[in-house]
Amino acid sequence: MADSNSTLHSTTDTTTKWLHDHNLIDIVAHCKTHGITLQLLKVADLNDFRDLCKDAGISTPLMLRLKDAVMSLADSVIAKQAFNAAHNVMVIGEEEKDVVDALDGIMQQNASSETALTEMQKTATEAVNTSIDELMQLVLFKRQTLLQQIDAVVAEQNAELKQQNLRAVQLKLNVLQNDADGMSDAQEFITQTEQSHAQSIGSCAIAVNIDLNRLDGAIAKYCGLRVSGVGLRLGAPSSANEAAAPTSLYEVCKLVCDPHSLLTSLNDDATVCYKKKLVYTVRGNVPKALSQKHAWVSIDMKPIRSGVHCFRVKIRGRNGFLWLGVRSNANKNIHDLDDYNDVRTFCGGNIFSWYRSDADEETHYVDMFAEDAKDSRADWDLLLTLTAKEQSLKIKRVDDTANRELVIPIQTLDTAWTPHAILFAGGNNDKAYSASNVRMHRLRTECYGQSVQ
């Protein structure tokens, strides 16, 4: 036993001396505590060496200095590994080199993605914390409001009871004093009060309407995580080029129209587009060419590339022709944005009679909304869906009891779209057209086809 202890002490002294010689005094204690000897360092390969340092709690800078010291020992395994690696030169062809370079590029992209994900995680976490804090404040405010409402109802009922008590005391005194009208007034009051108790006070109940199931469903629907895109995209997130979802159920949109058109104009805050009635008659003063003009109006917004979005177009005034749909940015000339025959740019149609899909020369005739052309007030909803599973434009009239819906497929992928409308001056049909105005709003998708207060 004494010989064993002597050998261990000798080995430890050798290791300590070697560490001192290589200016590694800081890890002497680590090595003694975890039984790391010079002999063990010599026979450890690179992976074993890293595990030894990790288990001993040796910091990375000290581990690198220790590694250099061990590599200076010609008979150490790490030194032999380094020697073999230095002499193990591989010769590969051009094709293999391209593949290796591509794999290296993927690894570099993944490293960048990890950094971007960390930043997105930080931003998303901050957004969650901020929004949930606001939600909690809203709930607390709602609780206080409900409690105040309960107090107000009770106070009102108590005040009415107090007034009845005062009236009863006065009538009681009249009866006791043999007032001539006291008995009849008292009997009338008793009858009225009994009826009042039966109809109001007696049936009064304060019911707290807090449906936790519906509330939980609403929170799940409006408070969740939405991950856009398929796979990882490096650089700016795709949402940077997309229109933000509406923050409320109903948002008024700014509009844009052809500034040189004689047919349309905007109000001061660009939320209403006015269309003139220009009808050609033999004795009129409207040139025939002008009466055949079309004019367009769009929402002034960032074009949409993905997601599901809902818009409402409110038309006031009669229009026998009403083109509704979306336009792309393929045609940059604003003067040509009334040319609905350009299939490169438009997806939609005259909802009263026909429609065309984008990139499709064929006109599809439908008459489901033909009778609606006679109305001078109409609200139309556009549901634009641009997802991996569906690319379409759906059009409905708001609060339509027949639940009619026009569905137009969108064929051009990865295109930016903007809600768009085209109106007609009037031609020679005086009865089918009138002066009109157009408003457009953004809605949450659950409001599609339904009235919003």
Side-chain angles (χ1 to χ4, degrees):
M1 184 67 180
D3 292 341
S4 176
N5 288 335
S6 177
T7 302
L8 178 59
H9 181 72
S10 176
T11 302
T12 303
D13 288 345
T14 302
T15 302
T16 301
K17 182 178 182 303
W18 181 81
L19 291 173
H20 274 270
D21 292 343
H22 288 81
N23 197 23
L24 293 168
I25 302 174
D26 295 337
I27 63 174
V28 171
H30 293 276
C31 292
K32 287 183 177 181
T33 302
H34 294 83
I36 300 176
T37 64
L38 179 59
Q39 187 61 33
L40 184 59
L41 292 172
K42 287 183 178 181
V43 298
D45 63 15
L46 189 56
N47 290 330
D48 293 336
F49 174 80
R50 289 173 179 161
D51 291 340
L52 287 172
C53 293
K54 182 178 180 181
D55 293 340
I58 299 174
S59 65
T60 300
L62 289 175
M63 181 187 71
L64 294 176
R65 287 169 54 191
L66 179 59
K67 176 186 171 185
D68 290 339
V70 175
M71 288 183 65
S72 67
L73 302 172
D75 57 343
S76 67
V77 173
I78 293 179
K80 293 176 181 179
Q81 284 181 322
F83 176 81
N84 291 335
H87 290 78
N88 188 18
V89 179
M90 297 182 63
V91 179
I92 60 175
E94 190 67 28
E95 184 177 355
E96 290 83 356
K97 182 180 181 301
D98 292 341
V99 172
V100 171
D101 291 343
L103 293 173
D104 288 340
I106 290 175
M107 294 172 65
Q108 292 176 359
Q109 287 183 342
N110 287 341
S112 299
S113 296
E114 290 177 357
T115 303
L117 284 171
T118 301
E119 188 62 29
M120 282 190 287
Q121 180 185 29
K122 179 181 177 181
T123 303
T125 301
E126 292 176 352
V128 168
N129 289 333
T130 301
S131 298
I132 296 301
D133 286 345
E134 292 178 357
L135 178 61
M136 292 173 66
Q137 292 177 2
L138 179 62
V139 171
L140 292 175
F141 175 77
K142 189 63 177 179
R143 180 176 69 176
Q144 187 63 30
T145 301
L146 289 174
L147 293 175
Q148 291 174 352
Q149 289 175 344
I150 292 172
D151 293 343
V153 170
V154 172
E156 181 181 357
Q157 296 296 334
N158 282 332
E160 186 173 343
L161 292 173
K162 186 176 181 180
Q163 290 295 324
Q164 287 183 353
N165 287 337
L166 292 174
R167 178 61 175 161
V169 169
Q170 182 64 45
L171 291 172
K172 181 179 176 180
L173 290 174
N174 293 342
V175 170
L176 293 176
Q177 293 174 0
N178 296 319
D179 185 278
D181 298 324
M183 183 63 70
S184 60
D185 290 344
Q187 289 176 342
E188 182 181 356
F189 173 74
I190 291 171
T191 302
Q192 292 176 348
T193 303
E194 288 177 347
Q195 293 176 351
S196 174
H197 279 186
Q199 296 174 1
S200 59
I201 304 297
S203 61
C204 177
I206 300 176
V208 179
N209 182 23
I210 301 178
D211 191 334
L212 295 180
N213 289 329
R214 294 187 65 181
L215 182 61
D216 181 65
I219 291 175
K221 187 171 185 179
Y222 297 113
C223 182
L225 184 66
R226 181 181 62 189
V227 181
S228 61
V230 179
L232 292 174
R233 296 182 179 180
L234 301 179
S238 58
S239 60
N241 296 321
E242 297 172 6
T247 56
S248 62
L249 292 179
Y250 196 85
E251 290 184 358
V252 179
C253 295
K254 297 286 187 179
L255 304 179
V256 60
C257 64
D258 187 346
H260 303 294
S261 173
L262 299 177
L263 189 57
T264 54
S265 61
L266 297 175
N267 68 338
D268 292 339
D269 63 356
T271 58
V272 183
C273 177
Y274 300 101
K275 190 220 76 169
K276 298 177 182 178
K277 174 186 176 181
L278 300 176
V279 177
Y280 171 76
T281 59
V282 176
R283 298 179 180 178
N285 57 0
V286 176
K288 186 173 184 180
L290 184 58
S291 72
Q292 299 294 326
K293 290 287 186 181
H294 291 83
W296 60 268
V297 56
S298 284
I299 296 180
D300 188 6
M301 63 181 293
K302 289 183 178 179
I304 298 169
R305 287 189 177 274
S306 65
V308 182
H309 305 265
C310 185
F311 302 90
R312 179 157 297 171
V313 182
K314 306 182 76 169
I315 306 292
R316 299 295 179 263
R318 191 170 179 181
N319 290 276
F321 175 95
L322 176 61
W323 190 99
L324 288 179
V326 291
R327 65 172 175 86
S328 70
N329 289 338
N331 194 333
K332 300 294 184 180
N333 190 341
I334 62 172
H335 305 299
D336 295 334
L337 291 179
D338 59 359
D339 183 11
Y340 51 81
N341 291 311
D342 184 359
V343 295
R344 301 171 306 159
T345 305
F346 299 100
C347 179
N350 177 12
I351 56 174
F352 304 134
S353 59
W354 58 266
Y355 73 88
R356 290 194 196 98
S357 179
D358 62 300
D360 186 359
E361 297 285 352
E362 183 178 1
T363 300
H364 304 271
Y365 294 94
V366 291
D367 60 358
M368 69 172 70
F369 295 124
E371 290 298 315
D372 297 75
K374 300 176 182 178
D375 296 340
S376 59
R377 295 174 60 90
D379 295 351
W380 300 90
D381 278 2
L382 311 180
L383 187 67
L384 179 61
T385 303
L386 302 171
T387 65
K389 293 184 178 180
E390 182 181 353
Q391 302 263 331
S392 68
L393 173 66
K394 298 176 182 177
I395 304 177
K396 261 188 177 184
R397 184 164 179 177
V398 178
D399 288 338
D400 182 17
T401 56
N403 199 31
R404 298 165 296 172
E405 183 179 55
L406 179 62
V407 181
I408 308 175
I410 293 178
Q411 302 182 36
T412 308
L413 303 181
D414 195 25
T415 300
W417 298 100
T418 302
H420 196 68
I422 302 175
L423 298 94
F424 185 55
N428 57 0
N429 193 337
D430 183 65
K431 295 182 180 180
Y433 294 90
S434 67
S436 309
N437 64 70
V438 181
R439 293 173 173 85
M440 296 188 184
H441 303 123
R442 292 202 69 196
L443 288 80
R444 290 193 179 276
T445 54
E446 64 268 20
C447 302
Y448 173 60
Q450 303 176 15
S451 293
V452 177
Q453 298 298 327

